[in-house]
Amino acid sequence: MTLELTVADEVRTLVPGFTHLAIEARGLVNGPSTEASSALLDDAARRLAERLDGRAPHEDPHMAAWRAAYSAFGAKPSRTRNSAEALAKRALADGGLPRINVLVDVYNAISVAHLIPVGGEDLDRIQGGMRLVRATGDEEFVTTAAGERAVEHPDAGEVVWCDEAGVTCRRWNWRQGPRTRLTEDSTSALFLLESLAPMPQADLERAGTELTELIEKFSPGARLEVRVGE
């Protein structure tokens, strides 16, 4: 069954240049990071360095657009960076990119190589459809603090992804909640690539095609459905 993804009009009004590409994948095989998934991350860091050619990630036009979007809903983009900028900074630092598990490594590599926010959600843990909305401030975001379950509430007006159970990702794509994260046991996933003008549609679709090919490589036989949103 296709997951319903909805972008609220209030988000489109706030940031008119937003679009996304969704990949639903079932029949996946995940597990701990491997030499192959680790090599993908190293190659993505190399591609990023070539792309930036000495510039900082936030100087890229696409990352500048995300910083403007974050500012539009009241976030401080230098403090709460979008997921692609945060990963890019880690990729260029001495410690490099973290190794999480195969599926997360794969989508993180695409995010870094193409400098585009990419998220992965466990389809079996999503309740109902997913919506990108501006929060009222009453929604619950369940996370962990000092190893214990903790409940936060987004700021009023903050852009969040949510399902029927609550917020799945705060400040658009800044921090994902643990409830829907991809684990080594995940067999179904939603991969979401998010872009803003001035990134061309063709660049978004190129990143989506590369991610699709990698999913098929690491999970032969997986069933994929690709949809481009507006």
Side-chain angles (χ1 to χ4, degrees):
M1 186 174 68
T2 300
L3 180 76
E4 183 178 4
L5 286 174
T6 306
V7 179
D9 289 342
E10 59 202 16
V11 175
R12 297 194 184 280
T13 298
L14 184 74
V15 187
F18 173 67
T19 189
H20 64 277
L21 183 148
I23 302 170
E24 287 189 37
R26 293 175 171 81
L28 296 168
V29 177
N30 200 13
S33 299
T34 63
E35 287 187 8
S37 70
S38 182
L40 272 181
L41 293 169
D42 290 338
D43 184 62
R46 178 192 58 78
R47 291 167 64 183
L48 173 68
E50 291 180 357
R51 177 194 187 105
L52 292 175
D53 193 23
R55 294 175 298 156
H58 71 265
E59 296 177 282
D60 177 87
H62 192 214
M63 294 299 93
W66 276 104
R67 283 198 165 206
Y70 272 47
S71 295
F73 64 79
K76 296 182 188 290
S78 60
R79 183 182 301 169
T80 56
R81 296 178 177 89
N82 75 80
S83 64
E85 184 182 334
L87 272 179
K89 284 182 68 67
R90 296 191 69 172
L92 299 173
D94 290 340
L97 289 163
R99 275 58 173 165
I100 308 298
N101 57 57
V102 169
L103 290 176
V104 175
D105 291 352
V106 165
Y107 79 71
N108 278 349
I110 294 299
S111 177
V112 168
H114 292 267
L115 211 50
I116 180 173
V118 183
E121 306 278 354
D122 190 319
L123 276 174
D124 294 328
R125 296 177 179 273
I126 296 171
Q127 298 187 30
M130 288 189 63
R131 308 181 308 280
L132 186 66
V133 301
R134 300 194 70 181
T136 64
D138 296 326
E139 300 89 347
E140 289 193 350
F141 177 71
V142 179
T143 183
T144 56
E148 299 293 331
R149 181 181 185 274
V151 178
E152 298 178 356
H153 297 277
D155 299 327
E158 181 182 323
V159 176
V160 297
W161 279 103
C162 60
D163 65 2
E164 291 182 2
V167 174
T168 58
C169 197
R170 285 199 58 189
R171 293 179 188 159
W172 211 316
N173 48 48
W174 168 64
R175 182 152 64 103
Q176 183 185 28
R179 173 170 60 89
T180 58
R181 284 178 187 158
L182 293 176
T183 70
E184 294 179 10
D185 297 323
S186 297
T187 59
S188 298
L190 169 71
F191 299 95
L192 190 63
L193 295 80
E194 301 180 290
S195 70
L196 297 175
M199 174 175 266
Q201 179 87 4
D203 288 359
L204 168 67
E205 294 181 8
R206 190 174 298 112
T209 296
E210 186 175 348
L211 178 52
T212 299
E213 292 171 349
L214 286 174
I215 295 168
E216 291 173 336
K217 174 184 176 181
F218 282 88
S219 283
R223 304 179 303 280
L224 306 182
E225 178 186 346
V226 181
R227 292 177 287 152
V228 179
E230 297 180 353

